[in-house]
Amino acid sequence: MSKKNITAESLFDLYSVANPNLSPAGDRAVFVRTHMDKEENKYVSNLFHADLASGQVTQWTYGKNRVSSPAWSADGSKIAFLSDRDGKNQLYVLSAAGGEAERVTDFANGVSAFAWSPCGKKVWVNGAVKKDKSFTDKEEEKKDKNPEPVVIEKMKYKADGLGLLPQDLFRQIGIVDLESEEVTQFTEGDHQYGLNTVSPDGKKIVFSVNRAENQDFEFRGGLYLADAESKEEKAIIDQDGYYGGAMFSPDGKKIAFIGADRRLENATHADVYVYDVASGSLTVLTESLDAPVGDLVAADFQQGTETPAAVWAGNDALYFQVSVMGDVRLYYATLEGELYPATPENEHVYGYDVTKDGKTALITASNPVHPGELYAQEISTGERKALTSFNAKFIEEHEIAKPEPIVFKGPKDWDVHGWIMKPAGFEEGKKYPLITEIHGGPHTMYANTFFHEFQVLASKGYGVLFVNPRGSHGYSQEFVDAVRRDYGNGDYQDIMAGVDYAIENNDWIDTERLGVTGGSYGGFMTNWIVGHTDRFKAAVTQRSISNWISFFGVSDIGYYFSEWQHGAVMDDVEGLWDISPLKYAANVNTPLLILHSEKDFRCPIEQAEQLFITLKHMGKETVFVRFPEADHNLSRTGKPNLRIERLDQITGWFEKYL
């Protein structure tokens, strides 16, 4: 039986399995499964339970809403989770013996995070509270809803995915008593508190906060240890950079967390830190590792991938993710200095938990030909057992193209890593077009993970080249930093060297039918490429940057991103213009499709508007497609129908010109 091609609509047939969470005894687990509902045009996720001994998997929640953040009570009798089934995310508690989940909060602005108190009778919560109000105070619905102006006094006044930020909402921490349903607010003031964790004896909590009055030039999130009764607090770390994901060791004597300082601004590798509660000493556990801690993958498939920053195995060892050479692997480290990978190469571990003895890991993992499932892995032997098979039928029925890893030399004789994917149904002796894909960031990475868009292109008869040029994460600190103050130079040369390498080593590539596409930074680079070479016969730029001068003032991150990445502020108009693709519009001879989201606040749509009008005014071949109700993350989390349309626009453009 011939296998089916993967299409844009295949997204509706796939399941994302994520967020595994082990019971305290380590014999059972819960996880979240998400799929795209075509009829409802939305994402639906539900809670599932797995018995590790029998391998039996049971669906525990139903309905057409989202669930997230499942967590067991300390005695294993209950599971709490967040769900938007009543509109905003609220906290629900479900008995581990089964039954109906009970909603335990009715907060005006929902719940963003929570942590069980070890007693199992209380839950610490995080949620937005209006100034001078409480968690549960709700605004009266106005009968006549007239538009009201918004007064802006701060530069950090908007955010992609959120829109204009409310000026009078502050994230606070509180405690919910499950028996009395009483809610007590723990923090106060006009600050944004982030709940991290609760100590094993329930007497202390860790939270993040920056109490500076003007946050416009504050790029730090300190961590604090507070007494649950007296509220007396002590700084764990309070310096430039972002720190979070704190977790107490089982004996409560140490706190592990991850963070990155600002030595190289947003290009700095993240590390694992360990804080000694008694002495106040701080150790960087991953100091010898020249790779970033965490999952830095650029992909388009996985949903609901909440992962712990680190998980303790006993009181003197930790597990955590590391992005390295196109993989995301689980690493093991002891407080004495041992450090090594605990999962194999050539895959993307995008979710995990570990038993208290450190012997068994529960992971969700994907690779380039597998969308991902839930596995139990014995750490010492590497033996792995699949607990779910939601995508097995899809894999069996569809032809999935397998990328081949490549390594080539860029400028400075640096090794650059990437992959090349032959078209589905590849036939020897036949010539095929090649599309080069460029990731965003630039500080992310392509990886050994399932990428639906690449599979769609391969199924349409295209080869796909995707590389990690300088600036990409997963490699050395020098490599990730090398793109800063050098946009359009070394990174451009790395990408073009990848194209040259692919052509030299694959005689099936038709050099007269080359295409290029990318989003965000990849959109900038697509714009840059077509302004500097005519090698590509068609290009698609997505959520792109065309003018760094206007980007400075219109992006939610523009006024500091430009300084971090280019070393340039608005008084360096000439410097910003020199690296703006718009400057080179007259050189563009490649037919260019421009895709952009109406509600993109990261790379606002005016960037696309400037590019389109300029090219059109010059008589260039270009089309502009605007996506309503979509933000910067259209390709990853956008409305299902718009994601399908986006892919159809891309493949339609390449079909027309290649």
Side-chain angles (χ1 to χ4, degrees):
M1 185 182 82
S2 61
K3 293 197 172 186
K4 303 176 190 173
N5 280 336
I6 292 177
T7 66
E9 287 77 13
S10 295
L11 280 171
F12 293 115
D13 302 321
L14 289 161
Y15 294 97
S16 176
V17 184
N19 207 355
N21 198 285
L22 279 159
S23 66
D27 58 343
R28 47 202 304 216
V30 288
F31 63 93
V32 176
R33 189 191 76 176
T34 305
H35 71 278
M36 282 172 33
D37 188 298
K38 189 172 186 177
E39 190 178 309
E40 299 278 338
N41 196 31
K42 67 178 187 179
Y43 299 84
V44 173
S45 56
N46 279 294
L47 193 65
F48 282 70
H49 173 269
D51 183 290
L52 269 60
S54 68
Q56 185 177 359
V57 171
T58 314
Q59 187 167 347
W60 268 13
T61 68
Y62 294 83
K64 295 201 170 183
N65 298 98
R66 300 292 298 259
V67 303
S68 60
S69 313
W72 297 79
S73 59
D75 64 359
S77 67
K78 295 184 282 288
I79 295 101
F81 61 90
L82 300 180
S83 175
D84 64 356
R85 62 180 70 174
D86 293 306
K88 292 184 171 74
N89 256 354
Q90 302 290 354
L91 180 69
Y92 289 77
V93 173
L94 177 67
S95 168
E100 194 67 30
E102 178 189 354
R103 190 181 75 179
V104 296
T105 62
D106 186 18
F107 288 3
N109 301 294
V111 178
S112 56
F114 70 90
W116 279 100
S117 175
C119 66
K121 295 175 181 177
K122 296 177 181 179
V123 181
W124 289 79
V125 289
N126 218 174
V129 178
K130 195 159 189 175
K131 187 179 176 74
D132 302 325
K133 299 286 184 181
S134 72
F135 284 108
T136 54
D137 285 343
K138 294 189 177 179
E139 295 284 310
E140 281 188 33
E141 281 288 323
K142 293 181 181 178
K143 290 180 181 176
D144 299 316
K145 279 196 168 182
N146 292 322
E148 296 179 358
V150 178
V151 178
I152 306 295
E153 296 180 326
K154 299 171 182 174
M155 286 193 281
K156 289 182 183 175
Y157 70 89
K158 62 181 180 179
D160 186 65
L162 298 172
L164 294 182
L165 300 173
Q167 304 293 297
D168 57 354
L169 276 183
F170 300 95
R171 202 166 64 249
Q172 304 289 358
I173 295 169
I175 310 159
V176 178
D177 187 301
L178 297 182
E179 292 175 359
S180 68
E181 298 185 0
E182 182 184 352
V183 181
T184 308
Q185 194 167 314
F186 182 80
T187 57
E188 57 187 28
D190 299 351
H191 311 297
Q192 306 293 349
Y193 290 91
L195 174 66
N196 274 235
T197 189
V198 182
S199 64
D201 61 8
K203 293 180 179 179
K204 290 182 171 62
I205 70 163
V206 177
F207 62 80
S208 62
V209 70
N210 182 334
R211 294 191 179 101
E213 189 175 334
N214 183 352
Q215 299 278 327
D216 286 341
F217 293 99
E218 289 289 315
F219 304 103
R220 58 197 291 152
L223 283 177
Y224 296 84
L225 179 64
D227 188 280
E229 292 294 331
S230 69
K231 300 188 182 181
E232 185 181 342
E233 64 183 58
K234 179 181 178 184
I236 294 172
I237 189 166
D238 185 12
Q239 63 186 40
D240 279 358
Y242 292 100
Y243 307 91
M247 292 292 288
F248 278 93
S249 58
D251 62 10
K253 293 181 179 179
K254 291 182 173 61
I255 299 167
F257 60 94
I258 64 169
D261 60 34
R262 285 184 54 205
R263 280 171 298 164
L264 302 173
E265 301 298 0
N266 60 329
T268 313
H269 280 169
D271 281 302
V272 176
Y273 293 74
V274 176
Y275 174 81
D276 187 283
V277 175
S279 69
S281 63
L282 201 57
T283 306
V284 183
L285 204 60
T286 51
E287 201 165 18
S288 63
L289 184 67
D290 196 8
V293 171
D295 181 349
L296 283 307
V297 170
D300 67 350
F301 175 66
Q302 282 86 26
Q303 298 288 326
T305 54
E306 301 168 280
T307 54
V311 171
W312 286 92
N315 293 307
D316 51 16
L318 289 154
Y319 286 91
F320 46 88
Q321 292 163 299
V322 175
S323 292
V324 55
M325 298 292 288
D327 296 325
V328 177
R329 305 176 71 181
L330 202 58
Y331 265 63
Y332 170 83
T334 66
L335 302 189
E336 284 73 42
E338 286 183 86
L339 177 67
Y340 53 81
T343 57
E345 295 179 320
N346 303 317
E347 69 176 13
H348 174 199
V349 175
Y350 61 89
Y352 74 100
D353 200 0
V354 181
T355 53
K356 289 180 179 178
D357 60 11
K359 292 181 178 177
T360 305
L362 196 65
I363 64 170
T364 49
S366 170
N367 64 47
V369 295
H370 199 296
E373 298 286 357
L374 178 69
Y375 304 90
Q377 178 175 319
E378 296 306 311
I379 298 287
S380 60
T381 64
E383 185 183 347
R384 188 178 286 187
K385 180 173 106 178
L387 295 172
T388 64
S389 55
F390 296 117
N391 293 305
K393 189 169 183 284
F394 181 90
I395 292 168
E396 187 183 325
E397 293 179 349
H398 289 80
E399 181 165 358
I400 300 176
K402 184 177 182 180
E404 300 163 13
I406 59 172
V407 179
F408 56 93
K409 293 292 183 182
K412 289 190 177 180
D413 209 35
W414 281 0
D415 282 348
V416 182
H417 181 209
W419 296 261
I420 189 162
M421 183 186 282
K422 289 177 181 173
F426 176 82
E427 296 175 28
E428 288 288 350
K430 193 174 173 182
K431 290 281 189 178
Y432 295 90
L434 179 75
I435 294 170
T436 299
E437 289 262 6
I438 307 169
H439 66 63
H443 308 312
T444 58
M445 69 175 190
Y446 281 138
N448 285 304
T449 193
F450 185 81
F451 210 120
H452 171 257
E453 180 179 321
F454 298 172
Q455 294 294 338
V456 171
L457 291 171
S459 287
K460 290 278 188 181
Y462 302 106
V464 184
L465 172 70
F466 49 110
V467 304
N468 284 330
R470 68 191 60 204
S472 301
H473 260 311
Y475 305 91
S476 71
Q477 183 67 89
E478 183 185 14
F479 189 84
V480 73
D481 186 50
V483 73
R484 294 197 310 134
R485 296 174 171 81
D486 195 43
Y487 275 44
N489 184 33
D491 49 358
Y492 169 67
Q493 293 177 58
D494 284 347
I495 293 164
M496 297 310 291
V499 175
D500 291 338
Y501 178 90
I503 290 168
E504 287 166 17
N505 292 276
N506 296 274
D507 58 10
W508 53 265
I509 295 172
D510 185 343
T511 56
E512 295 302 308
R513 291 191 290 160
L514 301 179
V516 63
T517 185
S520 195
Y521 164 81
F524 156 79
M525 188 50 68
T526 299
N527 297 341
W528 185 266
I529 284 171
V530 296
H532 287 78
T533 179
D534 292 339
R535 287 184 71 181
F536 297 94
K537 299 308 173 194
V540 181
T541 184
Q542 308 167 55
R543 57 187 185 278
S544 74
I545 298 152
S546 65
N547 183 351
W548 288 109
I549 298 171
S550 62
F551 180 86
F552 183 94
V554 296
S555 168
D556 62 347
I557 62 171
Y559 73 92
Y560 57 87
F561 186 87
S562 292
E563 192 169 351
W564 289 0
Q565 291 291 304
H566 311 310
V569 291
M570 268 307 286
D571 58 6
D572 186 13
V573 173
E574 193 176 322
L576 290 172
W577 185 240
D578 283 344
I579 55 170
S580 294
L582 204 60
K583 177 178 178 178
Y584 309 97
N587 301 336
V588 176
N589 297 309
T590 307
L592 181 65
L593 176 65
I594 303 169
L595 306 182
H596 220 106
S597 297
E598 297 276 5
K599 294 184 177 179
D600 190 334
F601 280 27
R602 184 60 38 86
C603 298
I605 199 165
E606 62 88 32
Q607 294 285 308
E609 292 169 337
Q610 291 187 66
L611 183 61
F612 173 70
I613 293 298
T614 301
L615 292 175
K616 206 72 177 171
H617 190 264
M618 292 175 169
K620 308 290 184 178
E621 202 157 348
T622 184
V623 171
F624 181 20
V625 182
R626 303 170 70 111
F627 290 84
E629 299 180 46
D631 59 26
H632 197 64
N633 288 299
L634 167 64
S635 65
R636 300 176 281 264
T637 59
K639 286 195 173 183
N641 74 304
L642 296 180
R643 289 184 66 181
I644 303 303
E645 179 61 30
R646 170 187 164 272
L647 289 167
D648 287 345
Q649 288 286 344
I650 293 168
T651 55
W653 190 258
F654 286 132
E655 281 170 18
K656 182 177 180 180
Y657 291 100
L658 301 185

